[in-house]
Amino acid sequence: MLLFPLLFLVVFQISGQKEIVPSVNQLVIIANNTGPVISKDIYGHFSEHLGACIYGGLWVGTDSKIPNTFGIRNDVLFALREMKIPNLRWPGGCFADTYHWKDGIGPQEKRASIVNTNWGNVTEDNSFGTHEFMKLTELLGCDAYINGNVGSGSVKEMAEWVEYLTSGNESPMTKLRKENGREKPWKVKYFAIGNENWGCGGNMTAEFYANNMRQYSTFLGDYSGNNLYKVACGPSDWNFGWTETLMKDEGTRDRFQGLSIHYYSIVDGWGYMGSATKFNEREWFETMRMNLQMEDIVKGHAAIMDRYDPQKKKGLVVDEWGNWFKVEPGTNPGFLYQQNTMRDAVTAAIHLNIFNHHADRVKSANIAQMINVLQSVILTKDDKMILTPTYHVFRMFRVHQDATLLKTDLKCEDYVYGDKKLPSISASASVDKEGKVHISLANLNPNKSVVVTCPVIGESYSKITGEVLTAPEMNSFNSFENPDFVKPAAFTGFSSKNGILTITMPSKSVVVLELTK
Ligand code: AHR
């Protein structure tokens, strides 16, 4: 099933094609004006002990009839590898600040059962713990992003976890790891010092958290050649005061490499939220409006960071983002299970384009969450698995990973709804190590196709291929009965003459073009 996009790719020769149709929409791409490298980690994911993200979604155990590798579902492993997942955040979220890692090591039958107090008060048997997570990252070929417990843990507990994971020395922690079957230390790239410590992670003030973070960070060692990229808990949304507190003092900012931010698009706020599948155009528009706000949020936090870190050594780590809707009817409200439609696909494209544009500061990001929770890329039901429209966007956009951002200039018509308007197009472009240019675009207008004139300046290209993701309705989605209803297809809606591309994008669509010299 996952091979189809490759089979459908078509080669489109530049010469002798249609006339250029002038349009109000213009995306100028300056192919020889490069910006920062787009870290592959912007395309990261998040897996929390929440609902069926870990249990059932990823982990079925070695005795399961569902085909698995060391207890991890094979279908999911294959799909995530195909999407080129660069890093995975675990074990939370709010769960992280109640998690005691020693509950999740050693023989499975001896592990402590606890209550997951954040998410449905269900029993957590800890059968998926440190060794299982690190095995998962090895099988995926991605980096580990581990979130430590500040809210209800201790400095000792966190320090020992890092030692257990990464140290090659002789010590009680490395002895314990070896007894549990792992001789060599693992590599851990990212380590977060708490999660949402202004809320579920302890209801701390920024000052109190900053002091705690300094203490915790002091004891997180770099062992055996592993260099932890420490992520301090940042704010959510527009809480610029929190960022200011974490950045202003050298003694604080010297103790982390990245500062997280969280931002969810919640239509009409927590009191309403709206359904993931049954929505009208007002809710579509409102979702797009909220998605586009990510740009101002990133700019606002980046501006504060620029004042204290003009060389941009610290990264902004957007480690929770996405659409948050009502749970599917009949499902546990604590499990945050929601369907995923064409609207979510456009959401993903908007966010990823924004992160690409801010690659000088945004060094990593994690959509919430990977499987069966919030804006998932994968949904599972027993032995069945489906890929969501959001999955397809991540797979299409993987070409930007570790590519270099290109300078672009976009002017476009408005998408008007009532007396409100938004830009109708989102776009970004990059050049990869082989010199191929990739242009990713989204048409936010659910009613109207748009024609985009795209002069590519500075270089010429002889071959263009493309893929498009669109659907008949705003709320089209993939179900277990019809898993491929929304899927990418070859895109032929473009022509090229004298270095100017003319792209006709269907309504509510996402397009990625590849230009080869
Ligand atoms: O992603 C769901 C929850 O949202 C996370 O656990 C928490 O960090 C955030 O509030």
Side-chain angles (χ1 to χ4, degrees), residues 46 48 50 89 92-96 118-119 195-196 198 200 262 264 270 320 324 336 368-369 373-374:
F46 171 34
E48 180 165 10
L50 195 180
R89 178 172 177 243
C94 293
F95 180 79
N118 280 291
W119 307 116
N195 168 74
E196 297 196 350
W198 36 264
C200 64
H262 292 178
Y264 288 99
W270 294 107
E320 288 185 33
W324 192 321
L336 310 187
Q369 296 192 8
V373 172
L374 300 177

Side-chain angles (χ1 to χ4, degrees), residues 446-467:
N447 306 314
K448 185 173 173 281
S449 66
V450 288
V451 178
V452 189
T453 305
C454 184
V456 183
I457 295 166
E459 301 283 352
S460 40
Y461 299 89
S462 63
K463 194 172 122 186
I464 307 174
T465 56
E467 269 188 290

Side-chain angles (χ1 to χ4, degrees), residues 138-157:
E138 281 174 0
L139 293 171
L140 291 173
C142 78
D143 284 312
Y145 177 4
I146 291 186
N147 206 118
N149 178 349
V150 169
S152 67
S154 67
V155 175
K156 179 172 185 278
E157 183 184 24

Side-chain angles (χ1 to χ4, degrees), residues 178-486:
K178 289 173 193 172
E179 280 164 15
N180 289 330
R182 174 76 188 193
E183 188 66 26
K184 283 199 306 192
W186 292 283
K187 290 279 180 218
V188 173
K189 185 167 181 181
Y190 296 102
F191 196 96
I193 306 173
N195 168 74
E196 297 196 350
N197 299 97
W198 36 264
C200 64
N203 286 304
M204 300 174 190
T205 62
E207 291 74 17
F208 184 75
Y209 170 74
N211 285 331
N212 265 297
M213 187 277 299
R214 290 166 66 134
Q215 186 189 3
Y216 274 78
S217 175
T218 306
F219 298 96
L220 304 183
D222 278 337
Y223 300 99
S224 312
N226 189 75
N227 286 308
L228 276 190
Y229 186 100
K230 296 177 200 165
V231 181
C233 167
S236 79
D237 309 353
W238 288 266
N239 185 352
F240 298 128
W242 185 284
T243 298
E244 178 76 27
T245 303
L246 270 287
M247 286 300 297
K248 70 180 177 201
D249 181 52
E250 195 178 356
T252 304
R253 67 173 183 269
D254 276 358
R255 304 233 135 50
F256 61 84
Q257 285 72 45
L259 183 68
S260 74
I261 55 164
H262 292 178
Y263 172 65
Y264 288 99
S265 296
I266 304 163
V267 172
D268 298 340
W270 294 107
Y272 178 71
M273 289 169 89
S275 155
T277 53
K278 294 185 178 63
F279 57 87
N280 54 31
E281 192 182 340
R282 186 193 72 76
E283 289 169 276
W284 166 285
F285 182 92
E286 194 51 18
T287 307
M288 302 292 121
R289 189 188 67 75
M290 297 193 78
N291 296 165
L292 288 164
Q293 282 179 347
M294 179 59 97
E295 176 99 40
D296 288 337
I297 291 170
V298 167
K299 276 187 184 163
H301 293 287
I304 296 167
M305 295 174 85
D306 284 351
R307 272 197 277 123
Y308 300 107
D309 172 36
Q311 291 175 320
K312 299 182 193 289
K313 289 189 178 146
K314 311 273 169 210
L316 198 53
V317 176
V318 192
D319 57 14
E320 288 185 33
W321 66 268
N323 290 334
W324 192 321
F325 300 121
K326 278 196 183 104
V327 298
E328 288 304 306
T331 65
N332 187 328
F335 284 8
L336 310 187
Y337 177 80
Q338 66 189 43
Q339 248 295 357
N340 195 288
T341 68
M342 191 60 220
R343 173 173 60 168
D344 295 282
V346 176
T347 291
I350 290 172
H351 282 79
L352 295 172
N353 280 333
I354 291 171
F355 300 151
N356 284 351
H357 282 294
H358 293 279
D360 59 340
R361 183 62 81 180
V362 178
K363 296 296 175 197
S364 190
N366 305 77
I367 187 171
Q369 296 192 8
M370 193 163 71
I371 306 176
N372 296 327
V373 172
L374 300 177
Q375 192 181 340
S376 314
V377 291
I378 288 173
L379 299 175
T380 63
K381 187 159 125 196
D382 305 323
D383 61 342
K384 296 199 183 74
M385 178 199 80
I386 56 174
L387 307 177
T388 68
T390 299
Y391 173 93
H392 293 304
V393 173
F394 269 84
R395 197 203 49 77
M396 288 163 72
F397 276 55
R398 68 189 170 169
V399 289
H400 288 306
Q401 290 190 23
D402 283 340
T404 304
L405 183 71
L406 288 178
K407 173 119 181 76
T408 52
D409 184 45
L410 174 67
K411 293 198 176 31
C412 69
E413 65 191 73
D414 291 327
Y415 160 35
V416 180
Y417 179 78
D419 58 358
K420 296 185 185 143
K421 59 186 183 183
L422 297 172
S424 58
I425 297 166
S426 152
S428 69
S430 69
V431 58
D432 70 12
K433 290 183 184 107
E434 293 165 30
K436 287 181 183 164
V437 166
H438 295 102
I439 310 168
S440 51
L441 304 114
N443 178 5
L444 280 56
N445 194 323
N447 306 314
K448 185 173 173 281
S449 66
V450 288
V451 178
V452 189
T453 305
C454 184
V456 183
I457 295 166
E459 301 283 352
S460 40
Y461 299 89
S462 63
K463 194 172 122 186
I464 307 174
T465 56
E467 269 188 290
V468 60
L469 185 72
T470 188
E473 308 294 338
M474 295 184 287
N475 62 346
S476 297
F477 61 89
N478 294 333
S479 64
F480 292 96
E481 295 71 39
N482 196 354
D484 289 326
F485 189 60
V486 185

